[in-house]
């Protein structure tokens, strides 16, 4: 995915626009994380951190391959689902292993993992893999075992400097991150569609007031295929110094290729990444999955998401 820039004639305005891309109050780049026990602060855990970019109207683009990667083990799940889908398939030693590391809360009727030891976690993952239990992130979300949420972080305790918007968040969806020394707000999302061959996933915000959605900075979207000569690109991604920050990294198109690669999926079957791609110098220098590329579009005087590979109907007027 690409955000589009052409620096010719941009003048000093380009500097302020670069700053806007990495500023917490104006950047369209956010993090998407799968969260267990969202409304149980003492048991809440964050997993599977990827980048995503807001393209307007509460719709977000990110990579698709991540959805079909395996979590390996499960932090918590409904007790009845556990009995039906996991416990019923275990032999005696496997049952004893999982009973040792999971406990049932009689109030929530859920099973919770009680170990953080890597050896124990690997042993649980081995059992689930042997039983071919599906721990892909897309499946965990479908079964409501854990769900994808947008993570917003600010230096002040307001949502985009608006205290009235902050008041619209339930108390369990806002908190202070002592490590990042920032205030965190969480918004629920759901997968709209995934185009695995093109490695594109489209998410949207759900169960959220329009006043909140309309306040989130976004970038426009375009579907042209760029010339590969003389275009200066930037990659917008999480900072290597920590996920609470952002990095704008220079890159450039070196050429084009007709891409072909096989992505392994033991549960749903392997699939193929294919189609035209850019060969980009400095490609994802810090490995920030889901990070967009961009250049300045003088005609629009704005940042444009470049998405030439797939054009779902929902993109026509997000």
């Amino acid at each position: 995915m690409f955000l589009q820039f052409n620096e010719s004639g941009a003048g000093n305005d380009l500097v302020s626009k670069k700053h806007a891309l990495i500023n917490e109050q104006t950047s369209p780049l956010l993090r998407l994380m799968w969260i267990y026990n969202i409304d149980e602060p003492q048991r809440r855990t964050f997993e599977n951190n990827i980048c995503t970019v807001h393209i307007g109207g509460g719709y977000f683009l990110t990579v698709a391959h991540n959805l079909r990667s395996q979590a390996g083990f499960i932090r918590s799940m409904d007790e009845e689902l556990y009995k039906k889908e996991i416990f019923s398939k275990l032999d005696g030693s496997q049952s004893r292993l999982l009973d040792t590391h999971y406990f049932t809360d009689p109030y929530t009727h859920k099973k919770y993992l009680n170990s953080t030891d890597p050896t124990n976690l690997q042993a649980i993952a081995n059992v689930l893999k042997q039983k071919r239990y599906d721990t892909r992130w897309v499946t965990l979300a479908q079964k409501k075992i854990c769900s994808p949420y947008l993570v917003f972080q600010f230096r002040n305790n307001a949502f985009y400097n608006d205290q009235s918007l902050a008041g619209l968040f339930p108390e369990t969806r806002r908190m202070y991150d002592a490590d990042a020394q920032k205030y965190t707000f969480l918004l629920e999302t759901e997968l709209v569609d995934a185009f695995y061959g093109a490695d594109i996933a489209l998410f949207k915000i759900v169960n959220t007031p329009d006043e909140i959605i309309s306040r989130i900075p976004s970038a426009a979207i375009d579907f042209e295929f760029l010339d590969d000569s003389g275009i200066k690109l930037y990659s917008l991604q999480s900072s290597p110094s920590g996920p609470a920050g952002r990095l704008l990294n220079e890159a450039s198109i070196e050429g084009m290729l007709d891409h072909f690669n096989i992505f392994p999926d033991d549960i749903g079957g392997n699939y193929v990444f294919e189609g035209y791609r850019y060969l980009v110098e400095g490609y994802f220098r810090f490995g920030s999955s889901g990070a967009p590329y961009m250049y300045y579009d003088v005609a629009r005087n704005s940042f444009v998401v470049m998405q030439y590979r797939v054009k779902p109907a929902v993109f026509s007027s997000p």
Side-chain angles (χ1 to χ4, degrees):
M1 101 190 49
F2 291 77
L3 286 177
Q4 190 170 269
F5 291 80
N6 183 337
E7 295 192 8
S8 175
N12 293 334
D13 187 47
L14 180 63
V15 176
S16 63
K17 291 184 180 297
K18 287 180 179 179
H19 288 168
L21 284 174
I22 60 173
N23 187 287
E24 64 182 27
Q25 297 292 330
T26 52
S27 177
L29 186 78
L30 293 165
R31 287 185 292 148
L32 190 66
M33 299 190 73
W34 271 243
I35 302 180
Y36 284 91
N37 309 312
I38 180 68
D39 293 320
E40 301 175 62
Q42 300 304 315
R43 293 169 171 163
R44 181 171 47 216
T45 54
F46 295 76
E47 308 277 351
N48 194 31
N49 180 23
I50 58 175
C51 290
T52 186
V53 62
H54 186 208
I55 59 171
Y59 287 90
F60 288 79
L61 283 179
T62 187
V63 289
H65 71 270
N66 171 274
L67 296 172
R68 289 171 67 171
S69 60
Q70 296 265 7
F73 60 90
I74 294 171
R75 297 283 183 183
S76 65
M77 68 188 302
D78 179 78
E79 184 180 21
E80 289 303 315
L81 185 65
Y82 172 83
K83 289 178 179 178
K84 177 182 177 182
E85 295 193 354
I86 296 180
F87 186 78
S88 63
K89 300 177 182 179
L90 304 179
D91 61 30
S93 62
Q94 294 168 338
S95 296
R96 288 190 293 273
L97 173 68
L98 267 63
D99 281 345
T100 300
H101 300 300
Y102 285 90
F103 72 94
T104 302
D105 186 316
Y107 179 75
T108 62
H109 303 290
K110 291 171 68 173
K111 285 276 189 181
Y112 296 91
L113 183 64
N114 63 6
S115 177
T116 58
D117 185 286
T119 301
N120 296 334
L121 298 181
Q122 185 59 57
I124 294 169
N126 291 342
V127 169
L128 296 179
K129 183 176 182 180
Q130 182 180 348
K131 296 301 178 181
R132 293 187 59 78
Y133 189 74
D134 189 351
T135 64
R136 296 176 302 172
W137 296 109
V138 64
T139 305
L140 297 184
Q142 289 170 350
K143 294 182 177 181
K144 304 299 183 182
I145 293 173
C146 58
S147 299
Y149 284 80
L150 289 166
V151 180
F152 300 79
Q153 291 193 304
F154 305 102
R155 292 177 177 84
N156 58 16
N157 192 15
F159 190 76
Y160 290 105
N161 285 326
D162 190 330
Q163 191 60 53
S164 66
L165 292 181
L168 298 178
F169 284 77
E171 288 192 9
T172 56
R173 311 294 172 90
R174 53 178 180 168
M175 66 212 69
Y176 182 68
D177 184 341
D179 292 333
Q181 297 185 29
K182 289 192 174 186
Y183 294 90
T184 301
F185 296 82
L186 305 173
L187 288 182
E188 184 181 0
T189 72
E190 67 179 18
L191 178 67
V192 176
D193 212 339
F195 309 91
Y196 292 105
D199 198 20
I200 297 165
L202 177 67
F203 284 81
K204 70 175 180 179
I205 298 173
V206 294
N207 302 321
T208 300
D210 290 339
E211 306 97 287
I212 290 177
I213 295 175
S214 63
R215 184 61 187 82
I216 304 170
S218 64
I221 188 167
D222 201 353
F223 297 91
E224 298 177 9
F225 196 92
L226 299 179
D227 185 357
D228 64 345
S229 60
I231 297 173
K232 190 173 184 180
L233 295 178
Y234 298 87
S235 173
L236 180 61
Q237 55 185 287
S238 293
S239 170
S241 60
R246 295 173 178 86
L247 166 72
L248 190 62
N249 182 51
E250 288 192 14
S252 60
I253 295 176
E254 293 187 320
M256 300 180 185
L257 66 154
D258 187 3
H259 185 74
F260 182 92
N261 187 35
I262 296 176
F263 186 86
D265 184 345
D266 295 336
I267 301 296
N270 299 347
Y271 64 92
V272 174
F273 287 141
E274 61 182 342
Y276 294 120
R277 301 288 192 273
Y278 296 114
L279 179 63
V280 179
E281 180 184 11
Y283 172 72
F284 283 175
R285 184 173 299 173
F286 296 104
S288 191
S289 187
Y293 283 111
M294 58 222 179
Y295 73 84
Y296 183 69
D297 185 344
V298 173
R300 300 187 189 219
N301 191 29
S302 66
F303 307 108
V304 181
V305 177
M306 188 61 191
Q307 187 47 265
Y308 64 89
R309 285 171 283 179
V310 175
K311 190 175 183 180
V314 72
F315 284 172
S316 59
S317 57

